[in-house]
Every structure is written in C-alpha cells, then in structure tokens.
Amino acid sequence: MKRYSLIWLVLLLGVLAGCATQPPQFVAQVTVRHTLASDVAGKRFAFSHTVSQSQSLLDKTAEQDVADQLTVAGLIPADNPQQADWLVSLSYGVDNGQIVVTQEPVWGTVGYGVFYDWYSTPGGRVYVPRYYDQPGIVGTQSIQSTVFTRFLAVDITDRKLLEQGRFAKLYEGKAVNRSASQDLDWALPWLSRSLFQSFPGFSGTTNTVRLILPPAQK
C-alpha cells in the first residue's frame, strides 16, 4: 500500500471508532423532598391505596416494583398496614404526547481535499493526486416528532403520626421520563429504579438519572 493511502486509512479507522454508538439509556428527571435520615434500613412499610387501586392489576405491578426498590434500600415489607412504620402511596401515568419540532443539520460536500499516491516508473517516482470530498453542514431541516411524558410519584407517611391527626408526610418523590414511546407498563420498572437509585437522596433537588438499557429496549 502506498504511504499516503495508509495514512488516510488510519485516519478513517479513527473516525469510525469515534462514531461508535452509545448503549441505549433510560433517562429520567428525579425530584425528591423529604425529612428522612440517610439511614432508613429496618423500617417496615405497607401500601395504602383506594378501593379502585386495590382492584387494579397494573397498580399491583407498580407496587411490587416500588417494594422491590424499597427492599433493596433496607426497608422491610409489613404483612399488615397496622404493623408498618411507614405507609407508601403511589401514582403514575402518561400524557397524550406533545408535538416537538427540532432543527437538524443537513450534511453534504463543502469542498475537496487532495492527497498524493506515488508510483515507480522507469523514469523515476511519479506522484498522482487523489481527490476526496470534505463533508460539512450545508443547511438545516425541520424534524417533527411526538414526545410522551411518563411519570411515577411516590409519597411516604408516618403511620403513627397520621393516626394521631398530625402532619405525617416524610417523603415525596417523582421520576419523569420523556420518550417517543407511550408504553407505560414497560416504563414503570425503570421509573421506579430511577426514583430509588439513591434513596432517600438530597431533599429539594432535581437530578438526571441515566440507566443503561439492555439491547433493543426503548
């Protein structure tokens, strides 16, 4: 291979390596407000819900997702709400989508570069120019898409304070994900993981949580 051709091949391989795709991620905005200590291990919890929620299979699934994360944080499920230290309630949903218009660049040829190959001939070394396109942005185009907002909100109250009629709220947390998919069932476990990734977290803050998704996920 000619010397200059080898140089350009190395440069091309470097560009291709830099363009490697990033693994898919689930991105959520997590907002928390609480009065909890950092060590919550050992607290017993149970879910409080309305009659309609108690008859919902999706609610049961969402509760199990939240329970799994609370258990990982060191909390203990109570068999009976009257035996619980904390009562947990949750809500979730997805909107009808919002049309979003973005401007994206249009790539094309903005010029030409040149490099030289050389060949040995009876009369000596001959250099032959080789031309290549130089890519660049030649304009923009409008891209319209629909973005759906999916959320999971969790509240935790102190059962004994609530029964005494006192202010009992201990924790308010919400995870919000925006996606081209309206699939809420699939998103709920990931919303739960995002919300409780660092439970209870810093009160009064909103953070972006990124979770690596398995291949072919949304």
Side-chain angles (χ1 to χ4, degrees):
M1 180 179 290
K2 305 298 187 295
R3 180 165 58 94
Y4 288 98
S5 296
L6 178 60
I7 293 174
W8 281 103
L9 178 59
V10 172
L11 291 176
L12 177 60
L13 291 175
V15 171
L16 292 177
C19 294
T21 57
Q22 297 295 321
Q25 297 179 335
F26 184 88
V27 182
Q29 298 294 319
V30 173
T31 302
V32 297
R33 188 175 300 277
H34 66 84
T35 59
L36 298 175
S38 58
D39 184 9
V40 297
K43 291 293 185 179
R44 296 169 298 173
F45 72 92
F47 288 95
S48 62
H49 38 61
T50 65
V51 175
S52 61
Q53 287 178 318
S54 66
Q55 298 301 316
S56 168
L57 293 177
L58 182 56
D59 276 334
K60 287 297 183 184
T61 300
E63 286 182 3
Q64 186 60 57
D65 292 333
V66 171
D68 290 342
Q69 298 305 314
L70 291 175
T71 302
V72 170
L75 278 70
I76 302 171
D79 295 331
N80 189 316
Q82 294 303 314
Q83 299 173 344
D85 300 303
W86 295 348
L87 297 178
V88 181
S89 61
L90 57 85
S91 61
Y92 52 83
V94 57
D95 65 9
N96 292 322
Q98 180 180 6
I99 301 298
V100 176
V101 179
T102 58
Q103 298 294 322
E104 295 189 358
V106 176
W107 291 82
T109 300
V110 297
Y112 298 91
V114 61
F115 66 96
Y116 293 87
D117 276 339
W118 59 265
Y119 299 91
S120 295
T121 68
R125 181 176 293 180
V126 175
Y127 288 91
V128 179
R130 303 292 185 187
Y131 297 93
Y132 60 93
D133 296 344
Q134 289 183 326
I137 298 176
V138 297
T140 60
Q141 61 180 346
S142 297
I143 303 297
Q144 180 174 297
S145 58
T146 302
V147 177
F148 299 94
T149 300
R150 307 179 286 196
F151 77 91
L152 170 67
V154 175
D155 292 341
I156 298 176
T157 56
D158 184 296
R159 180 185 62 82
K160 292 182 179 179
L161 292 178
L162 188 64
E163 291 177 349
Q164 295 170 8
R166 300 166 58 187
F167 184 82
K169 182 68 69 67
L170 300 175
Y171 173 92
E172 297 174 346
K174 186 175 184 179
V176 177
N177 163 260
R178 293 177 176 85
S179 170
S181 171
Q182 199 176 15
D183 189 345
L184 179 61
D185 292 57
W186 173 87
L188 280 173
W190 294 98
L191 287 167
S192 183
R193 295 178 198 179
S194 300
L195 182 57
F196 293 104
Q197 186 182 48
S198 57
F199 179 76
F202 292 102
S203 179
T205 61
T206 298
N207 297 298
T208 300
V209 175
R210 302 177 183 274
L211 302 177
I212 301 301
L213 293 172
Q217 295 292 324
K218 300 171 186 174

